[in-house]
Amino acid sequence: MKYTKWIVLLFCLLGMAACRQDAPRFRIGVAQCSDDSWRHKMNDEILREAMFYDGVSVEIRSAGDDNRKQAEDVHYFIDKGVDLLIISANEAAPMTPIVEEAYQKGIPVVLVDRKILSDKYTAYIGADNYEIGRAVGNYIASSLKGKGNVVELTGLGGSTPAMERHQGFMAAISNFPDVKLIDKADAAWERGPAEVAMDSMLRRHPKIDAVYAHNDRIAPGAYQAAKKVGRDKEMMFVGIDALPGKGNGLELVLDSVLDATFIYPTNGDKVLQLAMNILEKKPYPRETVMNTAVVDRTNAHVMQLQTTHISELDQKIETLNGRIGGYLSRVATQQVVMYGGLVILLLVAGLLLVVYKSLRSKNRLNKELSEQKRQLEEQRDKLEEQRDKLEEQRDQLIQLSHQLEEATHAKLVFFTNISHDFRTPLTLVADPVEHLLADNTLSGDQHRMLMLIQRNVNILLRLVNQILDFRKYENGKMEYTPVPVDILSSFEGWNESFLSAARKKHIHFSFDNMPDTDYHTLADIEKLERIYFNLLSNAFKFTPENGKVTVRLASLMKESSQWIRFTVTNTGSMISAEHIRSIFERFYKIDMHHAGSGIGLALVKAFVELHGGTISVESDEKQGTVFTVDLPVQACAYETSSLEDSPASSVSEASPLNDALSIEEEELEKNYDSSKPSVLIIDDNADIRSYIHGLLHSDYTVIEAADGSEGIRKAMKYVPDLIISDVMMPGIDGIECCRRLKSELQTCHIPVILLTACSLDEQRIQGYDGGADSYISKPFSSQLLLARVRNLIDSHRRLKQFFGDGQTLAKEDVCDMDKDFVEKFKALIDAKMGDSGLNVEDLGKDMGLSRVQLYRKIKSLTNYSPNELLRIARLKKAASLLASSDMTVAEIGYEVGFSSPSYFTKCYKEQFGESPTDLLKRKG
């Protein structure tokens, strides 16, 4: 095997040596803007010059005057991995980003003839189009003896040669006041558009003395248009390019079609020479400008003789190149034959060596196979032993499974028994509360507290009943008591219970049903109500503000029998496919942020199945979550004809929610008392918010938010003095909410108290890391909460003195963001205090805040309004100037930004107890 590796390596080296001559050393891509005789000449020169360099591959693509096509050509060369790009941009603006992209990817870019609107290229080579335009202008002006009318037919308007040739021409004729450019048109470098444009100019202008065409394809088009109307003799025609050959500029001058043309050198050989200097790391100029000269009847014949001679030499060079290519092809063939023979010889030697090695390896392999057979037999015996052990372990697992099932049953029995024990004390709480609520002497706060107790006692009773009902279902003892039910009227009645929740969260709640449909059936009304209430409660719970909850009731045929289907849809929440598979399992919860016992949906599924129905759920980001319940229709004794005349209705039509405006925040803005400290409560439990609101409203302005997102928005808007937030909330939890508030400039100074039902140190550490100022565990003492709120607000108020009085903040418990904010604000005041028109709106724009946000932020940090800080800064600056300068009182007042000396004197006396004049008298 060792010799085989060396033989393979030798073959690879020989193959690389044979292929190395064919691999190009440099690959150059040429992206031409158009396909014309001038470009053909340049391309031929580039290809001919490439023959003089060993291992250079040149590929040329033409865009045909199409920006999109040229962009595709450049991307083609980039993807192909060329070593250098030569580009003649069709139009400057569209091609600039494409050229910059190639340049930024490290590919050298040589611009030819046309530039881009950027300096991100390696080198440029081409004629000075501005100088050519100026030379044409001087030539025409001289030919017209400084007087006459000229029209101009330009190249493509967006290309740099067209723009520069026009600018140079205008610069030249500006020196001849009697030479007028009376018209100008874009001929796009082509003969056809030029003929159309010239025809239009001839109709508009009765006297034209000269035609300036930007190239020799435009000029004959203009000439042909003039000839058609018999005006070709009354004007001169001047073009640019002076290419030899049939139909090109040189022949057109000899045929008296053009009076003159200016040489626009192609210089393809110089373009490739410049490219090779760049690739071979040789010195090169970044800008190379080619010279021009006029060709008219005096020198056209000589030019034609020279170009004919050059053409003959080019043909001879191509013939020689063909012969050289043939010789190289023969040499390559001979090399292939030589290398092939060598490979065959080495292959034969290698085969002989392999045969010898194979004979030696055969005996060794036989011995190894015998040893492996013995080892496999030993492994088989071990596997049989392992199989016996696995069977024993399986029996043990089965036994453990039975034991776990018994333990789970015992736990469920205990759970059921303790749930029974909960009902008695809950009943003893509920009944006295009802008696107390009947007392008319209760104050408003007392009645509200008792209502809160009653509502939560009912919630506990409902949870206990759910546990007992689920246990009954598991034991097969759940009773099913069907009675005649009109599902439509029952649903409409139950919908009333959810209107309050819809109003609070501004949810659009609609109830739709199929008209002229009988919804009578036999059902257990109590369990049907539990199904409906559970699904609708979850929908409202997980729908964000301004979302939608929709209930649809319909009748359908399934397996030749009548069924009733209702769906509950809510927007703004999505359950992943992973959770949907398990959502109806008992005690299953999506995550720790979703509160609940985990048996509600399991009990719903059990009740639906008791009715012989099915329940399913679908969820995606667009439609939200949809629960679908199908119940079979069971014939009932009631006559349904009397109900057919009742019109179908829907809650959405009767409810004013569709047209309701979000007036809650408008009321908050109207009743916002800025004289009291403000506290923001963030909790998804409305009862907790209501309870804390009752504790705080007498001494504080209280703002409420139902979730973390709303809490962040209201904190940014109102900038409260303190925030109380629950930790466990759906969506953004309290810890994340605190972290975001502490990272925002508007809210980073606000103390945050986190409420939690969890006493784990890990959660507390997360909260403090997120910037929380205090933790209070549930259930909490109202006195503890009030004391903590009062102390945090008082502590924060003491910090304001340091900001407001300008004392050091290095040792104070203030975040760096607030320090930087106040320092930036004071620096802004110092810089702009001389502007008497400076106001809070201007300061807010410079600080990146609205007027209200700036006011509340500054007031919270310094105990001063922005205007008060501005006035104090101006007065302190004025006091310094009075003590250290010879300026008058009026000059100092204007200097620090006061609109009048009298107002400055009044403010100064209020601040320092004496007028500026009194200070100057004491000083002097």
Side-chain angles (χ1 to χ4, degrees):
M1 294 299 292
K2 179 174 69 175
Y3 297 109
T4 305
K5 292 179 181 178
W6 282 107
I7 292 171
V8 172
L9 180 60
L10 182 59
F11 286 166
C12 292
L13 291 174
L14 290 171
M16 291 172 62
C19 297
R20 186 175 301 163
Q21 294 180 354
D22 297 331
R25 187 164 56 103
F26 294 117
R27 289 173 296 178
I28 299 175
V30 181
Q32 289 285 16
C33 60
S34 59
D35 188 14
D36 53 55
S37 54
W38 192 87
R39 301 286 167 188
H40 288 169
K41 186 171 183 296
M42 176 190 287
N43 295 341
D44 292 342
E45 292 170 350
I46 290 174
L47 293 173
R48 188 162 50 249
E49 185 67 19
M51 298 174 187
F52 295 98
Y53 295 93
D54 184 32
V56 175
S57 170
V58 178
E59 183 178 355
I60 302 174
R61 296 172 74 93
S62 176
D65 300 314
D66 186 343
N67 293 324
R68 182 187 60 79
K69 176 65 169 58
Q70 190 168 33
E72 292 175 356
D73 291 344
V74 174
H75 283 130
Y76 163 81
F77 286 129
I78 293 173
D79 296 338
K80 196 172 180 181
V82 298
D83 300 293
L84 182 138
L85 270 171
I86 297 173
I87 299 175
S88 179
N90 187 48
E91 289 189 88
M95 291 306 299
T96 296
I98 314 299
V99 175
E100 289 181 341
E101 178 185 350
Y103 180 77
Q104 289 170 350
K105 288 186 176 181
I107 302 175
V109 178
V110 176
L111 297 181
V112 179
D113 174 34
R114 304 183 182 186
K115 289 189 176 181
I116 59 172
L117 305 180
S118 168
D119 61 352
K120 292 184 178 179
Y121 57 86
T122 308
Y124 168 78
I125 182 169
D128 189 335
N129 285 288
Y130 182 87
E131 288 300 324
I132 289 176
R134 192 165 69 172
V136 173
N138 289 327
Y139 179 83
I140 290 176
S142 175
S143 299
L144 295 177
K145 296 183 174 51
K147 183 176 182 180
N149 295 332
V150 184
V151 296
E152 180 180 7
L153 295 171
T154 72
L156 193 63
S159 62
T160 55
M163 293 185 284
E164 292 172 355
R165 290 177 185 181
H166 171 72
Q167 293 168 359
F169 179 76
M170 294 304 296
I173 67 172
S174 64
N175 298 320
F176 301 92
D178 293 329
V179 176
K180 310 287 187 183
L181 179 63
I182 61 173
D183 209 342
K184 174 187 172 188
D186 187 341
W189 303 113
E190 296 299 332
R191 177 170 179 163
E195 188 171 346
V196 174
M198 186 64 189
D199 184 65
S200 176
M201 289 178 177
L202 290 168
R203 290 194 184 96
R204 291 196 300 270
H205 305 292
K207 179 173 173 52
I208 299 175
D209 298 303
V211 178
Y212 167 34
H214 278 202
N215 70 1
D216 291 341
R217 292 194 307 282
I218 296 174
Y223 176 83
Q224 191 63 31
K227 187 174 181 180
K228 286 180 181 179
V229 295
R231 296 178 60 183
D232 55 304
K233 303 300 182 183
E234 66 184 52
M235 60 191 75
M236 64 184 297
F237 294 87
V238 179
I240 296 174
D241 278 348
L243 290 178
K246 185 173 177 59
N248 290 326
L250 188 58
E251 184 177 309
L252 293 173
V253 172
L254 291 171
D255 292 342
S256 299
V257 173
L258 298 183
D259 293 271
T261 181
F262 281 74
I263 296 174
Y264 191 63
T266 52
N267 288 314
D269 53 345
K270 289 185 171 56
V271 171
L272 193 76
Q273 291 169 13
L274 173 62
M276 292 308 300
N277 286 338
I278 294 172
L279 290 172
E280 293 176 347
K281 311 298 184 185
K282 295 179 180 179
Y284 64 91
R286 191 165 190 267
E287 303 285 337
T288 303
V289 179
M290 304 299 180
N291 296 322
T292 185
V294 65
V295 177
D296 54 17
R297 293 181 181 88
T298 61
N299 60 359
H301 183 68
V302 176
M303 287 287 294
Q304 186 182 40
L305 291 175
Q306 291 177 344
T307 54
T308 301
H309 180 63
I310 292 171
S311 177
E312 292 173 353
L313 292 176
D314 289 342
Q315 289 176 358
K316 291 179 180 179
I317 291 172
E318 290 179 3
T319 302
L320 290 174
N321 180 62
R323 292 180 180 178
I324 292 171
Y327 296 147
L328 291 175
S329 177
R330 291 178 188 176
V331 170
T333 303
Q334 292 170 356
Q335 285 180 339
V336 169
V337 172
M338 182 183 68
Y339 285 127
L342 183 58
V343 167
I344 291 172
L345 289 174
L346 290 173
L347 183 60
V348 171
L351 287 174
L352 292 173
L353 183 61
V354 169
V355 170
Y356 171 72
K357 295 292 293 182
S358 297
L359 291 173
R360 290 192 58 185
S361 300
K362 182 179 178 181
N363 294 327
R364 188 179 72 251
L365 288 173
N366 287 333
K367 293 179 181 179
E368 291 177 356
L369 287 172
S370 299
E371 180 66 21
Q372 288 178 358
K373 181 180 178 181
R374 185 185 61 78
Q375 292 176 354
L376 287 172
E377 289 176 351
E378 291 178 357
Q379 290 178 359
R380 182 189 63 189
D381 296 336
K382 291 180 180 178
L383 286 173
E384 289 179 353
E385 292 177 4
Q386 291 178 355
R387 184 188 65 188
D388 295 337
K389 289 181 180 179
L390 287 173
E391 289 178 352
E392 184 180 350
Q393 291 175 356
R394 182 196 63 188
D395 296 337
Q396 291 176 353
L397 288 173
I398 292 173
Q399 185 179 359
L400 285 173
S401 176
H402 290 313
Q403 291 175 355
L404 285 173
E405 187 174 348
E406 292 174 359
T408 302
H409 178 73
K411 290 178 182 178
L412 286 174
V413 170
F414 171 76
F415 203 15
T416 305
N417 292 338
I418 200 169
S419 297
H420 276 288
D421 292 339
F422 280 154
R423 294 184 70 175
T424 299
L426 285 173
T427 304
L428 293 176
V429 172
D431 189 59
V433 168
E434 289 184 5
H435 282 84
L436 288 172
L437 283 171
D439 189 353
N440 295 328
T441 62
L442 293 174
S443 66
D445 284 344
Q446 290 172 335
H447 188 273
R448 182 177 53 79
M449 291 289 187
L450 287 173
M451 288 292 293
L452 181 62
I453 294 171
Q454 184 187 51
R455 188 160 55 250
N456 284 276
V457 166
N458 290 334
I459 292 172
L460 287 173
L461 279 171
R462 187 167 66 251
L463 292 174
V464 169
N465 289 335
Q466 279 189 353
I467 295 170
L468 296 176
D469 287 344
F470 191 75
R471 184 63 180 147
K472 287 179 184 178
Y473 176 76
E474 285 195 327
N475 292 332
K477 296 180 180 179
M478 177 67 72
E479 296 180 357
Y480 173 61
T481 310
V483 296
V485 176
D486 180 2
I487 291 183
L488 175 60
S489 62
S490 298
F491 282 10
E492 288 175 342
W494 296 334
N495 286 337
E496 297 294 330
S497 302
F498 296 95
L499 295 181
S500 176
R503 291 191 189 94
K504 282 185 178 180
K505 295 182 71 174
H506 309 106
I507 292 174
H508 179 93
F509 176 36
S510 62
F511 177 75
D512 304 322
N513 64 87
M514 291 173 57
D516 303 324
T517 304
D518 183 12
Y519 292 105
H520 285 77
T521 185
L522 289 176
D524 189 323
I525 188 66
E526 179 185 351
K527 293 176 178 56
L528 186 63
E529 181 183 16
R530 298 274 287 279
I531 294 169
Y532 192 72
F533 267 73
N534 193 298
L535 294 178
L536 215 52
S537 296
N538 283 344
F540 277 97
K541 182 177 182 179
F542 295 111
T543 301
E545 284 200 7
N546 301 310
K548 292 182 180 180
V549 174
T550 303
V551 178
R552 291 186 174 88
L553 183 61
S555 176
L556 71 156
M557 295 297 295
K558 188 190 294 187
E559 299 177 355
S560 302
S561 59
Q562 193 77 19
W563 288 65
I564 293 174
R565 168 177 290 178
F566 71 89
T567 60
V568 178
T569 305
N570 70 288
T571 62
S573 66
M574 191 193 80
I575 306 172
S576 67
E578 173 190 358
H579 295 303
I580 279 183
R581 289 194 296 268
S582 308
I583 197 169
F584 293 112
E585 295 178 5
R586 64 183 183 183
F587 308 125
Y588 182 81
K589 298 172 69 175
I590 293 177
D591 56 48
M592 64 187 303
H593 296 303
H594 288 76
S597 61
I599 64 171
L601 288 177
L603 199 58
V604 165
K605 186 174 185 291
F607 287 165
V608 170
E609 290 175 349
L610 275 176
H611 286 78
T614 61
I615 183 170
S616 61
V617 59
E618 297 177 359
S619 186
D620 59 44
E621 292 183 355
K622 292 183 178 180
Q623 70 174 2
T625 302
V626 182
F627 283 88
T628 301
V629 178
D630 289 346
L631 300 174
V633 174
Q634 302 179 36
C636 54
Y638 285 149
E639 293 292 334
T640 60
S641 59
S642 61
L643 297 171
E644 291 178 355
D645 298 330
S646 61
S649 61
S650 74
V651 173
S652 63
E653 295 173 0
S655 173
L657 292 176
N658 291 344
D659 302 322
L661 297 174
S662 181
I663 60 173
E664 182 180 337
E665 291 200 29
E666 295 178 7
E667 287 293 323
L668 179 60
E669 286 282 357
K670 184 171 64 176
N671 299 324
Y672 190 90
D673 187 358
S674 60
S675 64
K676 295 193 294 185
S678 57
V679 178
L680 171 61
I681 305 170
I682 308 174
D683 201 305
D684 59 324
N685 189 305
D687 290 337
I688 293 292
R689 295 199 307 272
S690 175
Y691 178 65
I692 299 176
H693 187 286
L695 294 175
L696 300 176
H697 77 278
S698 60
D699 298 319
Y700 304 95
T701 297
V702 181
I703 308 163
E704 295 185 28
D707 54 48
S709 299
E710 182 186 1
I712 293 172
R713 181 175 60 81
K714 288 190 174 180
M716 301 280 284
K717 180 176 181 180
Y718 295 104
V719 192
D721 294 284
L722 183 133
I723 296 173
I724 301 172
S725 174
D726 187 22
V727 171
M728 305 297 293
M729 292 186 294
I732 300 176
D733 62 22
I735 293 173
E736 178 61 22
C737 180
C738 178
R739 185 178 292 109
R740 294 191 187 184
L741 290 171
K742 291 294 185 178
S743 65
E744 292 291 340
L745 176 63
Q746 299 96 313
T747 56
C748 62
H749 66 283
I750 304 173
V752 177
I753 298 176
L754 293 180
L755 303 178
T756 179
C758 180
S759 59
L760 294 176
D761 289 341
E762 290 84 352
Q763 190 189 75
R764 292 176 179 268
I765 292 170
Q766 287 181 355
Y768 285 126
D769 287 343
D773 296 271
S774 181
Y775 247 109
I776 297 180
S777 299
K778 295 180 182 177
F780 55 82
S781 163
S782 60
Q783 297 302 317
L784 172 63
L785 178 65
L786 289 171
R788 198 72 190 102
V789 169
R790 184 170 54 253
N791 289 340
L792 281 174
I793 292 179
D794 289 346
S795 176
H796 188 64
R797 184 179 292 117
R798 287 194 295 273
L799 291 178
K800 295 180 184 179
Q801 301 303 320
F802 289 94
F803 281 117
D805 297 340
Q807 300 179 21
T808 178
L809 300 171
K811 297 182 179 180
E812 296 305 317
D813 186 17
V814 181
C815 69
D816 293 337
M817 192 180 295
D818 284 339
K819 294 178 184 177
D820 294 341
F821 175 81
V822 173
E823 290 172 1
K824 180 181 176 182
F825 184 74
K826 289 185 176 181
L828 181 64
I829 289 178
D830 291 341
K832 294 193 173 186
M833 68 168 59
D835 182 5
S836 61
L838 186 64
N839 54 38
V840 179
E841 284 80 0
D842 297 333
L843 293 171
K845 287 179 182 177
D846 291 331
M847 297 298 292
L849 301 174
S850 68
R851 180 183 61 82
V852 174
Q853 287 176 328
L854 180 66
Y855 176 85
R856 289 175 176 167
K857 178 79 177 179
I858 293 296
K859 187 74 173 178
S860 176
L861 283 174
T862 67
N863 223 21
Y864 295 112
S865 70
N867 280 329
E868 289 172 337
L869 278 181
L870 177 60
R871 186 171 64 251
I872 291 171
R874 283 171 167 168
L875 292 172
K876 287 183 178 180
K877 178 69 173 179
S880 174
L881 291 173
L882 285 169
S884 61
S885 71
D886 296 329
M887 299 170 66
T888 65
V889 172
E891 288 174 340
I892 291 174
Y894 290 127
E895 176 70 19
V896 298
F898 282 92
S899 57
S900 67
S902 59
Y903 181 62
F904 164 61
T905 301
K906 175 178 176 295
C907 293
Y908 189 92
K909 189 170 184 179
E910 289 176 355
Q911 179 72 20
F912 299 108
E914 63 176 345
S915 67
T917 307
D918 295 337
L919 175 65
L920 291 176
K921 288 179 180 179
R922 281 195 300 105
K923 174 184 172 184

